[in-house]
């Protein structure tokens, strides 16, 4: 992360700092402000007057980095704000029809009944970004300070407890030198630090390492969702239409499936979720999405339409046993950063809201007692364990892990899970999990030859299929060019030698934004990734799926990245 050493930094003292203005962070801020307001209006003796809550958001505005499917279960938002619809929450449509297809290469099998986890009656098609854009000002009106364009780059830890966060320096050039507009980052010191950074959060990762938050847990496993919005010429795919698919274009060894949701104004939301525990080292999620669109049944939906937006984001899929310890001295972890996602239902927004509500209740009690110790904040976990969120996640606790043995095993286990209350295969309550990158197979073993030839990629026609750079443009991605790259490769020698030989440089394939471009080394020994970092969607795939774990994604200068609209 860009940070000049030896710089004097300003300090800002707040009571609570929240990193990330997604649904979890905004819900935590709203609920805490509401609890404090009600308390101060009551006849309680000890008031919490003048309490300061700050939310940091790395995007250029609240919602700019918000991307999800999304079909939202309204349970979380309705609990936070019972009159959410009356207050104008921007839903696209209630779900009006549900279908489930198993895709073969040129045909499909339509399920006669919907698998229960994918039944969406009562849910809403939404855009996560628009939801956050709407909720942000409401949270601001509750007295919460919102700081868009501020990327938190590190946690501040003193004597074993978290005491706040540091925001990134701005105005550093690509050689690490200050530019005329240099602005040092700020140390935001807080009694309580709440991390709601989304999947594979940078600060949550720092805390996981420092405080062993995954000790005794399964490692978190992720998928990446790559999605596009299409403007259709007619009403052939009405708002509220929902289709989920399995099968083509993914093979039986790869976890994942597609979604096609109808939005307002003849917009179709189409995306592919690919488990970031795949075996094929040349797998390219963007390319698989382009292949999906060429399937006759999918193409019939898009025919004559126009691509209008695109993006990508990781999804934490590991479930209950992959959730880190959610609290410690001075901190709590929420939403996707805490693994609050039901992979079987492909839904996390309602759980993100719920985690925000629960954390706010724990934070409120911590503030009342002026006690921010792990002992006190454990209340957050206790509340979670007694909540409907735990009940829901428990029922799917082994969902993803069974896919380690392929799609068929995963689907059988998912069916068994429904009759065994989530246990699935075997007698143990918990199936062991593995970090996704460990499943990747070496290129010669995967393709079974000394001269492996991965299948050719789609030839982009610019009409239905598009290259990655076009999708970067359609994601509104902009970064200041004259800054240090925010992808840190610990050891490029590994890229040139071992990775080329053993895996064929998967980063050239898995990055949906063409950030990693093969460049011959000056001495002709091989290829090294040239980083087109200004393309980055902030999806975190590289941080997760690099087989040697030498890539670290860190936040670029605040305000950079995608500018997602309706995604
Ligand atoms: Fe995603 Fe990494 Fe590519 Fe950025 S560089 S788009 S985080 S894979």
């Amino acid at each position: 992360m860009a940070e000049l050493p030896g710089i004097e930094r300003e300090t800002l003292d707040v009571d609570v700092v929240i990193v990330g203005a997604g649904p979890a962070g905004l819900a935590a801020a709203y609920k805490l402000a509401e609890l404090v307001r009600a308390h101060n209006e009551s006849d309680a003796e000890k008031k919490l007057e003048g309490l300061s809550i700050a939310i940091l958001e790395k995007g250029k505005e609240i919602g700019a980095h918000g991307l999800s499917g999304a079909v939202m279960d309204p349970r979380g938002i309705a609990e936070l704000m019972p009159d959410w619809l009356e207050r104008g929450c921007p839903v696209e449509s209630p779900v009006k029809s549900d279908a489930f297809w198993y895709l073969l290469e040129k045909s499909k099998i339509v399920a006669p009944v919907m698998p229960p986890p994918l039944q969406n009656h009562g849910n809403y098609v939404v855009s996560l970004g628009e939801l956050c854009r709407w909720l942000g000002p409401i949270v601001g009106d509750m007295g919460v300070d919102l700081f868009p364009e501020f990327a938190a780059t590190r946690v501040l830890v003193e004597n074993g407890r978290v005491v706040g966060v540091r925001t990134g320096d701005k105005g550093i050039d690509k050689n690490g030198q200050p530019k005329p507009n240099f602005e040092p980052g700020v140390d935001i010191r807080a009694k309580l630090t709440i991390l709601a950074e989304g999947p594979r959060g940078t600060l949550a990762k720092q805390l996981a390492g420092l405080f062993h938050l995954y000790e005794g847990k399964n490692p978190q496993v992720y998928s990446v969702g790559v999605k596009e919005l299409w403007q259709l010429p007619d009403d052939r795919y009405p708002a509220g239409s929902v289709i989920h698919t399995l099968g083509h274009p993914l093979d039986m060894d790869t976890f994942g499936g597609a979604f096609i949701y109808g939005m307002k104004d003849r917009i179709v939301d189409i995306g592919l979720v690919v488990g970031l525990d795949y075996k094929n080292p040349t797998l390219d999620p963007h390319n698989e999405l382009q292949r999906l669109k060429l399937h006759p049944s999918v193409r019939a939906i898009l025919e004559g339409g126009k691509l209008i937006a695109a993006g990508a984001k990781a999804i934490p899929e590991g479930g209950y046993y992959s959730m880190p310890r959610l609290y410690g001295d001075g901190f709590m972890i929420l939403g996707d950063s805490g693994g609050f996602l039901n992979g079987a239902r492909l839904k996390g927004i309602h759980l993100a809201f719920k985690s925000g509500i629960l954390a706010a209740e724990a934070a409120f009690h911590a503030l009342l007692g002026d006690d921010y110790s792990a002992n006190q904040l454990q209340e957050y976990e206790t509340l979670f364990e007694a909540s409907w969120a735990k009940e829901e996640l428990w029922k799917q606790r082994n969902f993803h892990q069974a896919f380690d043995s392929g799609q068929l095993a995963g689907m059988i286990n998912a069916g068994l899970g429904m009759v065994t209350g989530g246990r699935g295969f075997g007698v143990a309550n918990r199936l062991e999990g593995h970090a996704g990158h460990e499943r990747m197979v070496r290129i010669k073993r995967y393709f079974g030859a000394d001269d492996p030839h991965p299948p050719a990629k789609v030839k982009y026609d610019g009409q239905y299929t598009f290259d990655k750079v076009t999708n970067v443009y359609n994601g509104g991605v902009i970064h200041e060019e004259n800054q240090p790259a925010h992808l840190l490769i610990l050891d490029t020698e590994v890229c040139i030698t071992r990775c080329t030989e053993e895996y064929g440089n998967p980063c050239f394939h898995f990055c949906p934004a063409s950030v990693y471009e093969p460049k011959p080394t000056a001495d002709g020994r091989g290829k090294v990734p040239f980083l087109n970092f200004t393309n980055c969607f902030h999806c975190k795939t590289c941080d997760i799926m690099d087989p040697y774990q030498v890539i670290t994604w860190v936040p670029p200068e605040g305000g950079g990245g995608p500018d997602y609209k309706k995604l």
Side-chain angles (χ1 to χ4, degrees):
M1 64 211 69
E3 190 178 291
L4 283 188
I7 292 285
E8 196 137 313
R9 292 166 196 285
E10 268 183 43
T11 299
L12 177 67
D13 287 303
V14 299
D15 291 292
V16 180
V17 64
I18 299 173
V19 181
L26 289 170
Y30 181 88
K31 182 70 184 178
L32 181 56
E34 188 181 62
L35 287 169
V36 169
R37 185 180 281 182
H39 172 80
N40 288 343
E41 285 168 6
S42 75
D43 52 13
E45 238 172 63
K46 184 185 169 191
K47 305 287 190 203
L48 291 169
E49 301 289 1
L51 191 90
S52 51
I53 307 171
I55 303 188
L56 308 181
E57 165 56 45
K58 68 181 166 62
K60 70 178 235 194
E61 60 181 30
I62 309 294
H65 290 184
L67 179 144
S68 179
V71 170
M72 180 178 73
D73 177 341
R75 191 171 186 179
I77 193 168
E79 193 172 313
L80 180 73
M81 195 186 284
D83 56 351
W84 62 289
L85 277 173
E86 293 74 16
R87 291 176 80 169
C89 180
V91 299
E92 294 293 318
S93 171
V95 173
K96 293 183 182 150
S97 69
D98 248 343
F100 182 70
W101 296 351
Y102 190 88
L103 297 182
L104 304 162
E105 200 175 339
K106 299 270 180 233
S107 60
K108 66 173 186 280
I109 300 163
V110 179
V113 284
M114 285 298 292
L118 293 178
Q119 288 171 2
N120 278 303
H121 179 73
N123 296 331
Y124 291 81
V125 177
V126 298
S127 149
L128 180 62
E130 300 315 305
L131 187 71
C132 294
R133 279 188 175 91
W134 164 77
L135 189 52
I138 293 175
V139 170
D141 288 346
M142 298 288 285
V144 173
D145 294 313
L146 303 166
F147 295 99
E149 298 196 308
F150 277 86
T153 54
R154 65 160 67 197
V155 276
L156 302 174
V157 179
E158 286 175 7
N159 302 319
R161 67 180 301 274
V162 173
V163 295
V165 300
R166 175 170 293 174
T167 65
D169 293 342
K170 294 183 176 181
I172 299 181
D173 73 13
K174 58 183 180 207
N175 301 313
Q177 297 304 312
K179 296 189 285 192
N181 63 346
F182 175 71
E183 239 182 76
V186 179
D187 283 352
I188 302 181
R189 296 182 66 89
K191 294 169 180 164
L192 194 49
T193 300
I194 294 180
L195 301 184
E197 305 165 278
R200 194 77 158 191
T202 298
L203 274 52
K205 197 174 158 188
Q206 288 170 18
L207 287 188
L210 278 172
F211 298 116
H212 312 292
L213 301 182
Y214 283 95
E215 203 165 85
K217 314 268 185 173
N218 280 343
Q220 184 57 275
V221 283
Y222 299 85
S223 293
V224 61
V226 279
K227 68 175 276 192
E228 296 177 355
L229 298 185
W230 280 67
Q231 179 73 62
L232 298 187
D234 54 40
D235 295 321
R236 78 186 75 150
Y237 201 80
S241 308
V242 168
I243 295 174
H244 288 103
T245 79
L246 276 183
H248 179 84
L250 302 178
D251 61 29
M252 292 301 282
D253 265 343
T254 306
F255 174 87
F259 57 86
I260 310 172
Y261 303 153
M263 301 174 79
K264 280 192 293 212
D265 305 324
R266 298 173 170 173
I267 293 173
V268 168
D269 167 357
I270 178 167
L272 183 69
V273 172
V274 180
L276 291 177
D277 48 4
Y278 56 77
K279 291 184 175 175
N280 175 358
T282 66
L283 194 143
D284 178 340
H286 169 87
N287 185 63
E288 297 304 300
L289 174 60
Q290 305 313 303
R291 289 177 64 210
L292 170 77
K293 292 187 297 178
L294 294 175
H295 187 281
S297 298
V298 178
R299 186 159 174 159
I301 295 172
L302 301 179
E303 198 80 46
K306 186 173 176 292
L307 173 71
I308 55 170
K313 192 172 178 188
I315 305 165
E317 291 265 6
Y320 180 78
Y321 288 120
S322 297
M323 296 172 82
R325 174 157 58 84
L326 298 169
Y327 64 93
D329 286 316
F331 72 89
M332 292 188 277
I333 301 179
L334 328 184
D336 278 359
S337 297
F340 283 85
L341 188 126
N342 182 338
R345 296 181 71 203
L346 199 55
K347 283 186 182 44
I349 300 175
H350 65 304
L351 294 168
F353 275 116
K354 183 64 176 176
S355 73
I357 293 169
L358 298 174
E361 287 170 8
F364 175 63
H365 293 138
L367 288 159
L368 275 183
D370 201 22
D371 178 358
Y372 313 97
S373 65
N375 213 14
Q376 171 68 35
L377 297 177
Q378 189 173 10
E379 187 192 5
Y380 171 40
E381 189 172 270
T382 307
L383 290 169
F384 163 61
E385 287 290 332
S387 72
W388 57 258
K390 150 73 188 291
E391 200 181 318
E392 179 178 331
L393 288 170
W394 182 250
K395 284 187 194 146
Q396 304 294 350
R397 62 192 177 279
N398 289 317
F399 172 73
H400 189 93
Q401 285 67 25
F403 283 86
D404 265 4
S405 308
Q407 262 200 28
L408 192 61
M411 286 190 287
I412 293 169
N413 181 65
L416 274 175
M418 278 189 268
V419 291
T420 59
R423 200 180 68 228
F425 289 140
V427 290
N429 254 333
R430 167 177 165 180
L431 289 180
E432 291 300 318
H434 304 97
H437 68 273
E438 291 174 2
R439 257 188 112 229
M440 191 182 278
V441 174
R442 293 187 180 193
I443 193 161
K444 287 181 184 166
R445 185 141 64 86
Y446 189 84
F447 291 103
D450 280 344
D451 182 19
H453 287 294
K457 295 198 178 177
V458 169
K459 283 204 169 64
Y460 307 121
D461 62 13
Q463 192 178 2
Y464 294 104
T465 55
F466 296 89
D467 62 19
K468 293 180 179 181
V469 176
T470 303
N471 277 17
V472 168
Y473 171 79
N474 280 299
V477 179
I478 293 179
H479 292 88
E480 161 61 43
E481 288 189 17
N482 189 12
Q483 66 171 309
H486 63 278
L487 293 315
L488 310 180
I489 303 182
L490 192 67
D491 181 0
T492 49
E493 192 58 25
V494 170
C495 311
I496 302 164
T497 53
R498 287 184 61 196
C499 193
T500 302
E501 167 71 15
E502 293 174 351
Y503 292 98
N505 300 102
C507 64
F508 300 152
H509 303 283
F510 60 50
C511 173
S514 268
V515 168
Y516 299 88
E517 193 185 324
K519 274 271 152 74
T521 57
D523 58 11
R525 282 188 307 133
K527 291 171 288 181
V528 71
F530 174 81
L531 298 173
N532 297 307
F533 71 88
T534 53
N535 285 2
C536 180
F537 279 133
H538 298 201
C539 77
K540 316 285 179 73
T541 299
C542 50
D543 192 292
I544 296 163
M545 204 53 194
D546 157 39
Y548 301 97
Q549 294 292 284
V550 292
I551 299 176
T552 302
W553 187 98
V554 296
E557 201 169 287
D563 183 14
Y564 291 143
K565 298 271 164 47
K566 284 184 84 88
L567 279 154

